[in-house]
């Protein structure tokens, strides 16, 4: 069915009319809804709603129908998946780990499933497990989940002495005996039955009748697993045996311990490190070879890898023999090579091969940055998630590195900046005005926090804390991943900082790498929670720590560098070495690369084509191209007559130049050619452009002006020299005064009076940090931002007088005046807000209106301007469809030894 309110496909479960008249069945139906609705886990089918409706069926009469609405799953039950026989061990372990995690999540909130069986486990088309049907679930506490008569509560239903509840063949012995002492360990036994069947292709307990089956559960042991899997790893046998112990005290006491053991074994199988009980591991068994695993005719075990003497070799036998011959030849070759290596270099060890590959994007997939790195690689390096625009809609896609196809993640429309949880089971991401999370196996995204800031990267810590960098004066936030807290500032800005971005947790889960953006450079810093202080460890745009003991970071142009780093002392050592890789640098100065905990490096190559375009956006959010020219545009300003645009063009805020775009002829011409130049300002007559520039190797800004008609023929005129962090932001309507924001200590506002010998005077000095000043068209009011309340808000104050007036609510930044001065615009998170202003006979703030979502038009720069016709000039930024692949490098750390870079810790 379709949920018309939220526009999503759902599944509806209906209780047949006859069953609804059965009080017990109805109570079980409602029990399932309440139990399932209380669970939120990527491996548990989500329940959205439950209710009763009058329905007219084909026969005509109207009757009450009880229904449940849950997430729509595509795939098959585990029963159907097992129909051909046992699963390959690696796949069985992957599914089993997810099932165990689901059970552990239910147990954590006091719910026991009590009917775990292949029919109640779903395998999605992406290959993930979903546990269904909590109709027999029992709560470990006495109160029902939500309201209702206590006589029909889940607890009452599950504690009738002597009543056998569950499915024969999968229930625990204590369930089969009708005991009222049922706890979480009953689910562990049922899981053992399911897992036994997954790896062997046969049921653990069965009989000709129900009584025979129940007797087998309580009195007999299943056939030895070695009979079905002669080469079963010893650890597999131990796990299954522990799950199927008759005495609950001998089973796993907690499902999360079971999940840990399963995941560890899965890792060993995938890596080939598993030690089998019969001599040869099962990691190489093919799905097609498992059909004979359960066919032991005489009760004697048989080697499945070769035909018995006198038998005719089957195709499967020949495949296995051929494979083992190839493996044998390979072993001989490796042994010979190792012997030669040992002969000439006795101390040498064989190192993993460095591997480089490209992950091709689909023909219609356009990576969409949304202002942050659009992709992330999972901690184990096996999965990537990226934000892509397909058909005009940006959403998240997941893709295993060993697969060709990507799968969209439902409910992530408008998402950007994905990042993984430490266990790789969840993805955090940014939606318009929100921080959200979604399970890697699917399910509906969940809200973590509402936001008002512009996000610049997130990181998920081991203690379930998420940190978020912001493109604002707020600093780095932290919030609980559970969604039960309010974001608070963890690391505030230091004097001279413009923003703190792209945080990354270090292995201790407490210390933090992040990037401090300043006027002319960006530094990688490390924050110590013990001291509450930060220190600079490199100069770059982004950084990651890898377990080889190195720090990987990107220089201003995206060149990836590596340096030894100790995560305990938080110190680097030695000299940085280039990896010979240049990642693409986004207009917001983010370098497009990520590194998994295992050391896999994923990056977008810098040679890829990009589209950074200037567009006009009307009040309804409709977009019209302003030019066919493209580039990394920053901070566009429209000339007084609306015919030209001055804009910074370069890599982030480094090495950028001022260009002038003639809108009528669509010609883009350079105005400057040296240094780093930012924040162009038009003189009221449109003849001059003022801008701030820094000299190479210094942090101080000089203010220049240059004639637009002179072009590059004449040098720029110096207006203000070496005055620290002051950056000119606006000019008075009469052209006599520049308004500057001080990025140094204090963050105050100043004026530079051009007609009085360029004298400078402070006009707003406070303990807070102010910035982004814009003067009204009549010259009477100054709009600016300040963090005096603890977060950035937009304020007004008279240019001749005192007393601020707060304009924004719930956060605000980037104020811009309408050309007639009757409105003030500002950004609140992803929204562009218009505030009607009346200045006569006194100042009054009237109606506030949300014009459109900035993310909907893909505007990524916090700076924008307003033209004479009231339209907004904005920068949109996205990767071109010609950028067709992401590059992946494995085992790159092995090359560091050759380059002379020792590991850190």
């Amino acid at each position: 069915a379709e949920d018309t309110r939220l526009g999503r496909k759902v599944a509806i479960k209906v209780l047949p009319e006859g069953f609804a008249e059965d009080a017990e069945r109805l109570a079980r139906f409602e029990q399932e809804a309440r139990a399932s609705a209380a669970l939120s886990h990527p491996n548990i089918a989500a329940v959205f709603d439950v209710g009763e409706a009058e329905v007219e069926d084909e026969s005509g009469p109207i009757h009450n129908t009880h229904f449940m609405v849950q997430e729509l799953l595509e795939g098959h039950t585990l029963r159907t998946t097992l129909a051909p026989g046992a699963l390959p061990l690696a796949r069985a372990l992957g599914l089993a780990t997810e099932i165990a995690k689901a059970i552990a999540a239910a147990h954590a909130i006091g719910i026991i499933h009590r009917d775990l069986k292949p029919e109640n486990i779903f395998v999605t088309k992406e290959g993930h497990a979903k546990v269904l049907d909590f109709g027999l679930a029992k709560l470990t506490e006495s109160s029902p989940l939500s309201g209702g008569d206590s006589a029909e509560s889940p607890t009452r239903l599950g504690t009738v002495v002597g009543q056998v509840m569950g499915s024969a063949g999968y229930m625990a012995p204590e369930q089969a005996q009708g005991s009222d002492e049922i706890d979480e360990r009953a689910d562990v036994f049922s899981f053992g039955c399911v897992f036994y069947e997954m790896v062997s292709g046969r049921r653990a307990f069965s009989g000709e009748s129900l009584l025979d089956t129940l007797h087998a559960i309580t009195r007999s042991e299943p056939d030895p697993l070695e009979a079905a899997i002669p080469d079963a790893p010893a650890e597999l046998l131990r796990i299954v045996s522990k799950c199927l112990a008759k005495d609950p005290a001998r089973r796993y006491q907690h499902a999360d311990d079971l999940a840990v053991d399963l995941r560890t074994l899965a890792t060993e199988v995938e890596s080939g490190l598993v030690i089998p009980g019969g001599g040869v591991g099962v990691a190489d068994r093919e799905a097609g070879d498992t059909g004979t695993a359960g066919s032991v005719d005489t009760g004697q075990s048989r080697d499945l890898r070769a035909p018995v003497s006198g038998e005719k070799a089957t195709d499967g036998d020949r495949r296995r023999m051929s494979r083992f011959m190839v493996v044998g030849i390979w072993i001989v070759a490796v042994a010979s090579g190792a012997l030669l290596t040992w002969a000439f270099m006795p101390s040498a060890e064989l190192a993993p091969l460095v591997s480089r590959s490209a992950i091709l994007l689909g023909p219609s997939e356009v990576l969409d940055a949304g202002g942050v790195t659009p992709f992330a690689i999972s901690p184990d390096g096996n999965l990537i998630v990226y934000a892509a625009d397909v058909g005009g809609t940006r959403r998240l896609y997941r893709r295993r590195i060993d697969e060709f196809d990507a799968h969209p993640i439902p409910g992530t429309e408008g998402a950007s900046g994905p990042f993984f949880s430490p266990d790789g089971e969840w993805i955090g991401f940014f939606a318009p005005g929100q921080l959200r999370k979604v399970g890697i196996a699917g399910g509906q995204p969940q809200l973590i926090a509402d936001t008002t800031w512009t996000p610049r990267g997130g990181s998920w810590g081991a203690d379930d804390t998420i940190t978020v960098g912001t493109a604002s004066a707020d600093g780095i936030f932290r919030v609980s991943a559970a969604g039960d807290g309010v974001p608070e500032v963890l690391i505030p800005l230091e004097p001279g900082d413009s923003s703190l971005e792209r945080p990354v947790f270090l292995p201790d889960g407490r210390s933090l790498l992040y990037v401090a953006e300043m006027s002319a450079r960006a530094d990688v810093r490390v924050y110590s929670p013990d001291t509450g202080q930060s220190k600079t460890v490199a100069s770059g745009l982004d950084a990651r720590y890898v377990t080889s003991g190195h720090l990987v970071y990107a220089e201003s142009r995206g060149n990836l560098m590596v340096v030894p780093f100790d995560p305990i002392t938080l110190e680097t050592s030695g000299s940085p070495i280039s990896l010979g890789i240049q990642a693409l640098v986004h207009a917001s100065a983010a370098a497009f690369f990520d590194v998994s905990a295992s050391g896999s490096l994923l990056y977008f190559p810098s040679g890829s084509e990009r589209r950074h375009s200037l567009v006009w956006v009307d009040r309804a959010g409709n977009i019209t191209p302003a030019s066919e020219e493209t580039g990394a545009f920053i901070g566009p300003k429209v000339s007084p007559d609306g015919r030209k645009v001055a804009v910074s063009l370069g890599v982030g805020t480094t090495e950028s130049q001022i260009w002038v775009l003639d809108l009528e002829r669509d010609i883009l011409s350079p105005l400057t050619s040296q240094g780093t130049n930012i924040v162009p300002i038009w003189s009221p007559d449109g003849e001059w452009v003022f801008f701030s520039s820094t000299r190479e190797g210094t942090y101080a800004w000089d203010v220049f002006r240059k004639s637009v008609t002179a072009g590059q023929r004449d040098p720029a005129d110096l207006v203000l020299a070496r005055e620290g962090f002051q950056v000119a932001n606006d000019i008075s309507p009469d052209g006599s005064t520049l308004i500057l924001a001080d990025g140094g200590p204090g963050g105050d506002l100043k004026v530079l009076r051009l007609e009085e010998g360029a004298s400078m005077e402070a006009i707003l000095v406070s303990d807070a940090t102010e910035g982004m000043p814009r003067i009204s068209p009549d010259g009477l009011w100054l709009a600016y931002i300040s963090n005096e309340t603890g977060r950035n808000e937009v304020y007004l104050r008279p240019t001749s007088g005192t007393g601020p007036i707060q304009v924004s609510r719930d956060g605000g930044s980037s104020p811009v005046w309408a050309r007639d001065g009757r409105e003030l615009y500002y950004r609140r998170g992803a929204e562009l807000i218009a505030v009607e202003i009346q200045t006569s006979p006194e100042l009054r703030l009237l109606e506030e209106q949300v014009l459109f979502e900035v993310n909907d038009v893909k505007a990524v720069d916090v700076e924008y301007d307003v033209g004479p016709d009231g339209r907004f000039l904005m920068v949109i930024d996205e990767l071109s469809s010609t950028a067709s692949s992401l590059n992946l490098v494995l085992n790159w750390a092995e090359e560091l030894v050759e380059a002379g870079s020792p590991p850190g810790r």
Side-chain angles (χ1 to χ4, degrees):
E2 181 179 359
D3 181 345
T4 56
R5 288 180 301 173
L6 299 180
R8 60 184 174 187
K9 298 294 184 182
V10 297
I12 295 182
K13 175 182 270 189
V14 177
L15 190 65
E17 181 180 4
F19 292 171
E21 299 173 358
D22 184 328
E24 181 181 352
R25 287 183 181 271
L26 180 57
R28 285 179 54 187
F29 184 81
E30 293 174 348
Q31 151 71 346
E32 178 183 349
R34 288 195 295 270
S36 299
L39 296 169
S40 175
H41 191 272
N43 298 116
I44 297 177
V47 171
F48 304 137
D49 195 10
V50 64
E52 182 179 351
E54 292 186 346
V55 177
E56 183 175 355
D57 58 21
E58 297 177 356
S59 60
I62 296 178
H63 57 272
N64 290 335
T65 296
H66 297 267
F67 66 90
M68 182 194 308
V69 181
Q70 60 186 46
E71 68 171 307
L72 178 64
L73 300 175
E74 297 183 23
H76 305 282
T77 64
L78 182 59
R79 172 63 66 211
T80 301
T81 305
L82 292 176
L87 299 178
L89 183 57
R91 188 183 183 202
L93 285 168
L95 291 173
T97 302
E98 294 180 340
I99 298 168
K101 288 182 177 180
I103 299 171
H107 292 174
I109 63 172
I111 295 178
I112 310 169
H113 192 288
R114 300 207 308 169
D115 195 23
L116 199 66
K117 57 186 177 181
E119 287 80 3
N120 285 342
I121 299 170
F122 200 86
V123 181
T124 67
K125 65 179 183 180
E126 291 86 8
H128 294 287
K130 290 272 191 176
V131 178
L132 315 171
D133 293 350
F134 280 79
L136 292 182
K138 170 189 173 182
L139 293 181
T140 57
E141 297 181 359
S142 59
S143 59
L145 282 170
S146 57
D149 186 348
S150 62
E152 295 182 355
S153 72
T155 305
R156 175 73 176 268
L157 278 172
T159 56
V160 180
V161 178
Q163 182 176 2
V164 178
M165 301 193 72
S167 297
Y170 299 94
M171 64 178 63
E174 56 269 32
Q175 284 178 281
Q177 293 169 344
S179 171
D180 60 342
E181 298 297 328
I182 305 298
D183 59 22
E184 290 89 346
R185 294 171 294 183
D187 282 348
V188 172
F189 187 93
S190 298
F191 170 87
C193 296
V194 173
F195 188 39
Y196 180 99
E197 189 170 347
M198 292 168 65
V199 297
S200 70
R202 59 173 64 175
R203 298 196 182 195
F205 303 99
S206 61
E208 296 182 358
S209 67
L210 173 63
L211 292 178
D212 290 340
T213 301
L214 295 179
H215 184 273
I217 289 174
T218 56
R219 301 287 183 234
S220 304
E221 297 295 334
D223 291 338
L225 199 57
E226 301 95 308
I229 314 176
D231 50 5
E235 178 65 3
L236 173 65
L237 304 179
R238 186 193 69 82
I239 292 174
V240 173
S241 177
K242 191 171 183 177
C243 289
L244 296 179
K246 303 295 185 188
D247 183 358
R250 297 179 57 197
R251 296 178 206 150
Y252 283 96
Q253 301 300 294
H254 303 286
D256 50 1
D257 294 334
L258 168 61
V260 170
D261 284 356
L262 288 167
R263 184 162 188 169
T264 301
L265 178 57
T267 302
E268 293 174 350
V269 168
E270 291 177 357
S271 64
L273 298 177
V274 64
I275 301 176
V280 178
V282 296
D284 291 331
R285 285 198 303 125
E286 298 179 358
D289 295 337
T290 60
T292 59
S295 302
V296 182
D297 300 331
T298 64
Q300 298 176 347
S301 63
R302 171 185 163 192
D303 190 344
L304 299 181
R305 296 180 299 276
V308 176
S309 178
E311 288 185 346
K312 181 179 179 181
T314 65
D315 289 341
D317 294 328
R318 281 190 290 268
R319 285 198 305 271
R320 285 186 289 271
M321 292 174 64
S322 176
R323 182 167 63 254
F324 278 96
M325 288 176 65
V326 172
V327 171
I329 295 172
W330 179 82
I331 291 174
V332 171
V334 171
S336 300
L339 182 60
L340 290 174
T341 302
W342 174 83
F344 291 98
M345 299 179 63
S347 61
E349 295 183 359
L350 292 177
L353 293 177
V354 178
S355 171
R356 295 175 175 84
S357 59
I359 299 177
L360 301 179
L361 301 176
S364 61
E365 294 176 351
V366 180
L367 282 190
D368 199 328
V372 288
T373 302
F375 55 80
I377 187 167
S378 61
D380 62 9
N382 292 327
L383 184 74
I384 63 171
V385 171
Y386 57 87
D389 186 309
V390 177
T393 300
R394 181 174 70 210
R395 60 171 56 86
L396 296 182
Y397 292 79
R398 61 171 174 258
R399 176 174 171 178
R400 290 187 58 85
I401 63 172
D402 58 355
E403 293 180 346
F404 288 107
D405 298 324
H407 305 283
I409 302 178
T412 60
E413 289 74 15
S416 63
F419 54 95
F420 279 90
S421 62
D423 61 4
E425 298 297 326
W426 291 87
I427 305 165
F429 65 93
F430 304 104
Q434 293 182 334
L435 172 63
R436 301 178 70 84
K437 66 179 180 180
V438 65
I440 193 63
Q444 289 298 310
Q446 302 173 25
L447 175 67
I448 296 176
D450 292 312
T451 63
T452 59
W453 18 257
T454 302
R456 286 293 186 264
S459 183
W460 195 318
D463 63 350
D464 250 9
T465 294
I466 290 178
T467 58
V468 178
T470 61
S472 66
D474 293 312
I476 290 178
F477 285 89
R478 66 178 172 189
V479 66
S480 169
D484 54 2
V486 177
E488 60 180 2
V489 175
L490 173 64
I491 308 176
L493 271 70
E494 298 180 7
D497 296 342
S498 58
S499 62
L500 304 183
E501 308 180 2
R502 298 178 281 286
V504 177
F505 276 108
L506 288 172
D508 63 3
R510 301 170 63 243
S511 305
L512 206 65
L513 288 169
Y514 66 94
V515 174
E517 291 278 357
M518 292 166 283
S519 298
R521 60 180 293 169
D523 282 344
V524 176
R525 294 177 185 165
V526 60
Y527 166 80
S528 170
D530 297 328
T531 64
Q533 302 296 315
S534 300
K535 59 184 176 183
T536 298
V537 292
S539 178
L541 303 177
D542 211 339
R544 301 287 188 276
Y545 174 78
V546 291
T547 53
S548 62
H550 291 88
L551 198 68
V552 179
Y553 65 94
E555 291 186 320
S556 62
R557 289 185 174 273
N559 295 311
L560 297 188
M561 308 294 292
V562 62
V563 63
F565 179 79
D566 189 327
I568 299 176
T569 64
L570 306 181
E571 297 283 353
T572 59
S573 60
S575 300
I577 295 175
S578 174
L579 289 179
I581 293 172
Q582 188 174 18
L584 188 69
V585 175
H586 184 266
S588 64
F592 280 6
F593 80 98
D594 195 18
V595 181
S596 72
S598 61
S600 299
L601 171 63
L602 184 70
Y603 70 97
F604 204 90
S606 64
S608 304
E609 183 182 345
R610 302 186 58 84
R611 290 201 305 267
H612 297 211
S613 303
L614 291 170
V615 297
W616 293 108
V617 185
D618 66 18
R619 296 173 71 91
N622 299 310
I623 300 175
T624 304
S627 171
E628 293 184 0
E629 297 286 350
T630 60
F633 298 118
I634 306 171
K637 298 290 176 60
V638 184
S639 64
D641 61 7
R643 296 180 179 179
K644 295 182 177 66
V645 172
V647 63
S648 295
L649 179 59
V651 179
T653 56
T654 63
E655 303 182 15
S656 57
Q657 304 300 324
I658 306 298
W659 292 64
V660 175
L661 173 66
D662 187 324
L663 293 172
E664 295 178 340
R665 298 188 297 160
D666 198 17
I667 296 177
L668 187 63
S669 304
L671 189 67
T672 66
S673 59
Q674 297 179 345
T676 298
N677 308 277
I678 60 173
V679 193
I681 303 168
W682 288 96
S683 63
D685 59 7
E687 172 65 22
W688 300 88
V689 171
F690 292 81
F691 57 92
S692 298
S693 179
T694 183
R695 296 176 181 177
E696 184 177 358
T698 69
Y699 298 101
W701 289 97
D702 300 333
V703 179
F704 293 86
R705 73 168 187 172
K706 191 168 185 180
S707 171
V708 176
T709 56
Q712 293 198 53
R713 295 193 304 272
D714 299 330
D717 297 330
L718 180 65
V719 176
L720 176 67
R722 300 300 299 272
E723 290 292 341
F725 292 101
Q726 289 85 10
V727 174
N729 277 255
D730 205 359
I731 192 169
S732 62
D734 62 4
S736 65
T737 305
L738 286 174
I739 315 297
L740 296 91
D742 188 350
D748 302 322
L749 301 183
K750 302 179 180 181
V751 295
L752 179 67
R753 306 190 190 282
L754 301 176
E755 298 178 352
E756 301 176 9
S759 63
M760 191 158 58
E761 173 189 352
I763 60 172
L764 178 55
V765 178
S766 73
D767 293 333
T769 300
E770 287 81 27
M772 297 185 173
R774 298 297 290 268
I775 195 167
S776 62
D778 60 10
L780 300 178
W781 295 92
L782 187 67
Y784 62 98
I785 64 170
S786 173
N787 65 354
E788 65 179 61
T789 64
R791 67 179 174 191
N792 280 339
E793 300 283 2
V794 176
Y795 294 86
L796 286 175
R797 66 185 297 118
T799 52
S800 58
T802 59
I805 300 171
Q806 184 171 334
V807 178
S808 63
R809 295 174 294 178
D810 301 323
S813 66
S814 306
V816 175
W817 290 91
R819 290 295 179 105
D820 59 9
R822 295 180 180 178
E823 282 186 320
L824 180 68
Y825 310 107
Y826 70 90
R827 288 185 59 165
R828 180 174 62 203
E831 300 173 329
L832 186 68
I833 310 294
V835 180
E836 186 179 352
I837 294 181
Q838 177 180 299
T839 58
S840 179
E842 61 183 5
L843 180 71
R844 293 183 60 194
L845 303 180
L846 304 177
E847 182 181 1
E848 179 177 292
Q849 178 184 3
V850 178
L851 299 183
F852 55 83
E853 292 278 343
V854 175
N855 289 345
D856 288 344
V857 299
K858 301 178 184 176
V860 298
D861 195 358
V862 295
E863 298 294 333
Y864 61 97
D865 202 13
V866 181
D869 60 359
R871 293 185 299 170
F872 302 94
L873 184 68
M874 293 185 162
V875 177
I876 65 172
D877 172 66
E878 59 184 342
L879 298 181
S880 170
S881 57
T882 60
S884 58
S885 67
L886 292 165
N887 288 357
L888 180 68
V889 185
L890 306 179
N891 302 322
W892 54 269
E894 299 301 324
E895 293 183 334
L896 299 180
V897 177
E898 298 178 9
S901 175
R905 295 179 60 178

